[in-house]
Amino acid sequence: MKISLKRTPEQVELIKAMASKNRSVAYEAQVALAEFIGPVISEVINNAPVLSNLFSSLQFNSEDNPSIPLDLYYDISDEDYVQVYSNTVAGGLPQNQVVPTVSELKVATYSLDTAVSFDRRYAAKSRMDVVSKTFTRMAQEILLKQERTSANLIMGALAGASTNGKDHVFRATTDGSFLLDDFNELMTRAKRINTSWSKGTPEGGRRGITDILVSPEAVKSLREMAYNPVNTKTVGTGNDIAAPEGLRNDVYQAGGGLPSFYGISLMEVNELGVGQNFNTIFDTVAGSSTYAKADGTTGDAEFDGASDEILVGLDRGREALVKAIAVDEENGSEFQLTADDQYSIRQNKIGWFGGLEEGRMVLDNRALLGLIAKSL
């Protein structure tokens, strides 16, 4: 992710004007650049390939108090049929609020802010690279905060999720491996969780996971299918079975990247894996909860962050992950950037501050599944 300013005569003059000894001229130049670059930062944030952008945007007026009428999303009022999670502060733990589906869900919003500055002499010398990296840093700070907030919400909603007597999180069949059998179990569990209100077949009958967030180690385990056996029921009996030739060839030809597997898109996330940020968050929110294998009886144990890692399955066909975000009335931008006027001439600095107001929710935790792999 990178924001670059082209070295055109107009932009060079604008940058130089910010270093003017005339405070009015310098401040007007800062304001002009803020009005131009604010929507650009917003666009960069919204298009970054990160966890936070798995949420669908629900824009609202910055002076409004957003709410979601749940009865327009779900026409069922059975107890515990729909569970909604949200967090009230940035980076906070998610909470499950009990409300009737015929009422409106008030969205708790919070602000994500950032502020940067640089020495005035860089503007006087028209250092476009310094100005560009300043705004890139602002976008990165907001993205980092959004990532942590999104991870807290998703992991918190997933850790204790249970539908139709089935836990949303279960353990892989074989320690040290992530195999076809685990994909098969994920797809089956998604079908059992995503029933209609009468516990029957839902409309369309094809709901299930569309994407899975995995660590680099999990992708490594998938690549091993090109040369390792994949069976789980006759292991150790001398009857090891390799994957079909076509599958092994596809895995081998994919090289370092596997875009999909079993029709499920793979999203390789560095923050997943033993000792990584998102894995640690799940370990924290899981607490003393125990998770068994797909049969529901064997391997029941607490999540151990020292050896276990969580893989997250998502149903992106369901409008379950939503972020309500404020939009400025004047320019329609989600990110508000303002020239910072706190610096005096003696401080010899130029700066901006900005941020956005948002609130994130998981409207239906049936869109989330988890697989715990050990020692990958």
Side-chain angles (χ1 to χ4, degrees), residues 143-185:
L143 278 171
L144 186 61
K145 294 176 181 179
Q146 286 184 329
E147 283 290 271
R148 179 56 63 91
T149 301
S150 301
N152 284 354
L153 181 57
I154 290 175
M155 296 304 182
L158 175 63
S162 178
T163 304
N164 298 332
K166 297 282 189 181
D167 291 336
H168 291 209
V169 182
F170 59 93
R171 294 184 173 275
T173 304
T174 306
D175 290 348
S177 297
F178 179 39
L179 300 171
L180 294 174
D181 187 61
D182 300 317
F183 267 96
N184 197 17
E185 292 288 1

Side-chain angles (χ1 to χ4, degrees), residues 67-107:
S67 62
I68 294 179
L70 291 179
D71 56 337
L72 296 183
Y73 283 78
Y74 310 104
D75 57 358
I76 306 301
S77 57
D78 287 1
E79 184 178 356
D80 289 335
Y81 181 74
V82 176
Q83 297 189 37
V84 178
Y85 289 81
S86 63
N87 42 11
T88 56
V89 296
L93 290 176
Q95 63 177 4
N96 181 211
Q97 184 178 356
V98 180
V99 294
T101 55
V102 293
S103 71
E104 290 200 358
L105 174 69
K106 292 296 182 182
V107 181

Side-chain angles (χ1 to χ4, degrees), residues 296-366:
T297 57
T298 59
D300 196 27
E302 294 182 13
F303 186 87
D304 181 6
S307 58
D308 293 341
E309 65 175 81
I310 183 70
L311 285 63
V312 182
L314 300 173
D315 179 5
R316 298 185 69 182
R318 184 190 295 274
E319 196 173 4
L321 305 181
V322 176
K323 65 174 178 180
I325 188 162
V327 176
D328 185 78
E329 290 183 348
E330 296 181 0
N331 58 20
S333 175
E334 297 174 356
F335 183 83
Q336 311 306 319
L337 184 64
T338 306
D340 198 337
D341 59 356
Q342 68 171 312
Y343 301 111
S344 66
I345 295 177
R346 291 181 64 183
Q347 289 174 296
N348 212 34
K349 285 187 177 181
I350 298 174
W352 294 266
F353 65 90
L356 50 80
E357 181 185 357
E358 69 170 24
R360 294 177 182 265
M361 298 146 289
V362 176
L363 294 182
D364 189 352
N365 63 0
R366 292 176 302 167

Side-chain angles (χ1 to χ4, degrees), residues 3 33-46 59-60 62 111-116 134-143 145-146 323 325-339 352-358:
I3 296 176
L33 186 58
E35 291 177 351
F36 164 70
I37 208 69
V40 175
I41 294 178
S42 178
E43 190 71 17
V44 169
I45 291 173
N46 288 333
Q59 296 182 336
F60 66 94
S62 57
S111 296
L112 301 178
D113 304 309
T114 179
V116 293
T134 296
F135 294 123
T136 299
R137 176 59 182 267
M138 296 188 84
Q140 289 173 338
E141 288 184 359
I142 295 296
L143 278 171
K145 294 176 181 179
Q146 286 184 329
K323 65 174 178 180
I325 188 162
V327 176
D328 185 78
E329 290 183 348
E330 296 181 0
N331 58 20
S333 175
E334 297 174 356
F335 183 83
Q336 311 306 319
L337 184 64
T338 306
W352 294 266
F353 65 90
L356 50 80
E357 181 185 357
E358 69 170 24

